[in-house]
């Protein structure tokens, strides 16, 4: 029996594969995160593409109605928040919501399920973390993509000159003395968006995962007393976090195209 | 927190997913929903239109019915008038015919009477002449004169 610390560390270690040949450093890949998110992403687009292909205007099935419910929810949010016309924002929001929801949903898998599978398949020491959103790489990958879109939308709405002017003249005024202050404020605002997006999701999911691991350390007969309520509460958290990530993305993009 | 190449991989996956959703998932689903919304709106508009048309038709039917009633009344009144007129005409005609028949009968009667009178007169005059002949003859035979006159008297 491993010690408590070893148990926790084992559960929080990624299945890391180096790309450059040296251990550690930037050029390495979390195979578990990458594979899980790819599988979940494929699941998402497969289900939605099949439903979209078979969608009937009249007499839709129950599953189609369920998918429509999600599409309609996303559509309502986009219409309420983003007032311009964009072919990208609605599909982007749908992808974010569903993908992040599926990431978070993995948090509800029993923490030792994967370890048990590893034991059964003869790799007791293998690491495999199933919650891709508890990996900063995933959350930052998404939030930095959103940052690129924010900048792109700003430039396409206001022009490169217009956006540059805004960066130097707002929020305090157009006097040249204020340019550096304005610029610093704008950059802080810009950079804080992806950081807050990424860390909010990561923090919630990482904490949730950690608490599940801690609950798993309790005696077997007592785990349900804490694990049950926490799992039920977590159903709310995972949906809410997916929703928040989506809504904030729409809000940021809508702020990018509107004048301050 | 260790940021590494996973970030790039995840970003690529994310971009692929978004592009796929944008191309193959969102447009058909959203188009289908819009189509359904349009159909529902069309259906409601059609129902509203139908209701309006029904009201129109009902008022039109009521109008027509009123018109038809008026027309029927008119026809009945005309028919009654015609019938009355026909009867009056027939009466008049019959009266005229009857008058004519009566007049004819009267004139026939008068003619007959006249002819009978003529006949009678003829006979009387014949008898008178006969009588006169007898009388003239009896002047010669006085004894038989009175007897003959009495005979004549009886004949008349």
């Amino acid at each position: 029996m491993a010690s408590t610390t070893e148990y926790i560390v084992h559960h929080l270690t990624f299945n890391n594969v180096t790309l450059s040949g040296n251990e550690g450093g930037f050029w390495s890949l979390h195979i578990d995160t990458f594979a899980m998110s790819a599988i979940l992403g494929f699941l998402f687009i497969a289900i939605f593409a099949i439903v979209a292909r078979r969608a009937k205007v009249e007499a839709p099935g129950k599953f189609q109605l369920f998918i429509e419910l999600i599409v309609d929810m996303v559509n309502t949010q986009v219409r309420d928040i983003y007032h311009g016309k964009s072919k990208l924002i609605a599909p982007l929001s749908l992808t974010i919501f569903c993908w992040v929801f599926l990431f978070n949903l993995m948090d509800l898998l029993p923490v030792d399920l994967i370890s048990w599978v590893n034991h059964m398949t003869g790799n007791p020491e293998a690491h495999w973390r199933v919650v891709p959103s508890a990996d900063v790489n995933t959350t930052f990958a998404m939030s930095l993509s959103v940052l690129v879109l924010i900048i792109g939308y700003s430039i396409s709405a206001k022009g490169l000159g217009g956006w540059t002017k805004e960066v130097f003249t707002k929020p305090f005024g157009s006097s040249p003395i204020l340019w550096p202050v304005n610029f610093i404020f704008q950059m802080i605002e810009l950079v804080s968006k992806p950081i807050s997006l990424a860390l909010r999701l990561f923090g919630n999911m990482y904490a949730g995962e950690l608490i599940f691991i801690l609950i798993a350390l309790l005696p077997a007969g007592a785990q349900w007393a804490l694990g049950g309520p926490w799992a039920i509460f977590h159903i709310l958290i995972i949906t809410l976090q997916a929703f928040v990530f989506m809504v904030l993305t729409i809000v940021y993009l809508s702020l990018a195209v509107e004048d301050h | 927190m260790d940021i590494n190449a996973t970030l790039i991989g995840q970003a690529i996956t994310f971009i692929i997913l978004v592009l796929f959703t944008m191309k193959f998932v969102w447009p058909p689903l959203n188009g289908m929903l819009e189509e359904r919304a349009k159909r529902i709106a069309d259906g409601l508009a059609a129902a509203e239109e139908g209701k309006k048309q029904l009201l129109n038709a009902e008022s039109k039917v009521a109008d027509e019915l009123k018109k038809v009633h008026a027309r029927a009344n008119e026809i009945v009144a005309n028919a009654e008038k015609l019938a009355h007129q026909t009867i009056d005409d027939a009466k008049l005609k019959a009266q005229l015919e009857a008058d004519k028949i009566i007049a004819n009968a009267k004139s026939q009667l008068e003619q007959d009477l006249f002819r009978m009178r003529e006949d009678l007169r003829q006979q009387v005059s014949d008898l008178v002449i006969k009588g006169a002949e007898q009388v003239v003859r009896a002047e010669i035979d006085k004894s038989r004169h009175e007897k003959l006159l009495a005979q004549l008297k009886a004949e008349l």
Side-chain angles (χ1 to χ4, degrees):
Chain A
M1 185 67 197
S3 73
T4 304
T5 315
E6 278 171 3
Y7 178 81
I8 294 173
V9 168
H10 174 76
H11 275 285
L12 289 179
T13 306
F14 289 104
N15 189 336
N16 205 2
V17 170
T18 178
L19 299 174
S20 61
N22 311 315
E23 279 302 315
F26 182 77
W27 288 108
S28 54
L29 190 67
H30 294 158
I31 289 291
D32 40 9
T33 298
F34 190 71
M36 285 309 292
S37 60
I39 291 167
L40 293 170
F42 181 75
L43 198 70
F44 155 64
I45 56 171
I47 289 172
F48 271 72
I50 288 169
V51 171
R53 182 172 282 265
R54 294 184 183 162
K56 286 175 290 210
V57 174
E58 273 156 14
K62 277 183 188 166
F63 194 67
Q64 189 190 331
L65 283 175
F66 171 66
I67 298 297
E68 281 175 18
L69 198 72
I70 299 171
V71 171
D72 208 45
M73 184 275 291
V74 172
N75 215 355
T76 310
Q77 293 299 331
V78 172
R79 256 204 304 261
D80 284 352
I81 299 170
Y82 187 84
H83 297 298
K85 271 202 180 286
S86 168
K87 279 193 172 143
L88 174 64
I89 288 188
L92 173 77
S93 309
L94 180 68
T95 311
I96 288 174
F97 179 73
C98 295
W99 207 31
V100 171
F101 178 79
L102 290 172
F103 289 167
N104 300 351
L105 193 63
M106 294 301 107
D107 219 357
L108 293 176
L109 288 178
V111 274
D112 281 317
L113 181 69
I114 300 294
S115 302
W116 180 76
V117 170
N118 285 340
H119 263 284
M120 290 295 115
T121 51
N123 292 304
E125 289 310 307
H127 300 286
W128 195 269
R129 291 185 64 182
V130 278
V131 189
S133 50
D135 182 346
V136 274
N137 289 299
T138 307
T139 57
F140 267 110
M142 294 173 80
S143 69
L144 289 175
S145 305
V146 171
L147 175 70
V148 170
L149 283 176
I150 290 172
I151 296 171
Y153 268 65
S154 296
I155 291 173
S156 82
K158 295 156 188 167
L160 189 57
W163 186 59
T164 312
K165 193 180 158 215
E166 189 182 292
V167 164
F168 281 101
T169 59
K170 282 175 180 173
F172 295 118
S174 54
S175 162
I177 310 158
L178 293 169
W179 283 3
V181 189
N182 285 330
F183 182 72
I184 289 165
F185 261 77
Q186 288 275 351
M187 285 307 114
I188 290 171
E189 191 192 337
L190 195 64
V191 169
S192 70
K193 283 170 182 171
I195 291 176
S196 69
L197 262 186
L199 291 186
R200 180 185 304 106
L201 180 59
F202 166 73
N204 272 282
M205 289 308 115
Y206 188 82
E209 197 184 19
L210 192 60
I211 288 173
F212 275 122
I213 293 169
L214 292 177
I215 290 170
L217 286 168
L218 291 172
Q223 286 180 9
W224 63 270
L226 286 174
W230 180 244
I232 292 167
F233 179 60
H234 221 60
I235 294 172
L236 173 69
I237 301 285
I238 61 177
T239 320
L240 191 68
Q241 286 305 319
F243 184 74
V244 164
F245 202 112
M246 177 193 79
V247 168
L248 283 179
T249 302
I250 307 170
V251 168
Y252 291 157
L253 289 176
S254 121
L255 287 175
V257 295
E258 276 163 24
D259 285 320
H260 286 261
Chain B
M1 288 216 292
D2 50 336
I3 300 241
N4 57 27
T6 314
L7 190 142
I8 297 170
Q10 293 292 74
I12 292 168
T13 313
F14 181 53
I15 290 164
I16 291 171
L17 285 180
V18 170
L19 289 179
F20 186 89
T21 308
M22 211 171 128
K23 265 236 140 55
F24 301 109
V25 173
W26 188 264
L29 280 175
N30 198 42
M32 190 266 301
L33 287 177
E34 272 168 10
E35 168 74 16
R36 184 181 301 153
K38 194 175 153 285
R39 276 198 203 176
I40 291 172
D42 285 357
L44 286 178
E48 197 61 33
E49 184 64 24
K51 219 189 260 174
K52 217 184 278 172
Q53 276 180 359
L54 184 67
L55 278 180
N56 270 350
E58 268 171 4
S59 76
K60 211 181 253 177
V61 164
D63 275 5
E64 282 301 305
L65 217 57
K66 218 182 274 174
K67 252 186 228 168
V68 166
H69 267 299
R71 180 103 182 90
N73 282 342
E74 197 183 314
I75 287 171
V76 168
N78 275 350
E80 268 171 10
K81 215 162 98 187
L82 198 67
H84 278 303
Q85 205 174 343
T86 312
I87 290 169
D88 285 352
D89 282 2
K91 264 186 191 163
L92 201 67
K93 228 183 199 170
Q95 191 66 46
L96 284 175
E97 197 68 25
D99 287 356
K100 213 163 142 192
I101 290 169
I102 290 168
N104 274 351
K106 257 186 189 158
S107 75
Q108 190 71 38
L109 211 64
E110 265 164 20
Q111 267 176 18
D112 285 357
L113 207 65
F114 181 72
R115 203 182 302 129
M116 274 158 81
R117 245 186 223 139
E118 273 310 282
D119 276 1
L120 216 60
R121 197 176 293 146
Q122 192 67 46
Q123 278 175 12
V124 169
S125 58
D126 281 357
L127 276 176
V128 170
I129 289 167
K130 229 179 197 173
E133 239 174 43
Q134 297 283 337
V135 170
V136 170
R137 229 179 260 153
E139 279 301 298
I140 304 156
D141 190 358
K142 242 185 182 179
S143 61
R144 277 166 78 187
H145 178 60
E146 257 173 89
K147 223 174 154 185
L148 276 172
L149 272 179
Q151 204 180 334
L152 187 69
K153 218 188 257 172
E155 243 176 82
L156 270 173

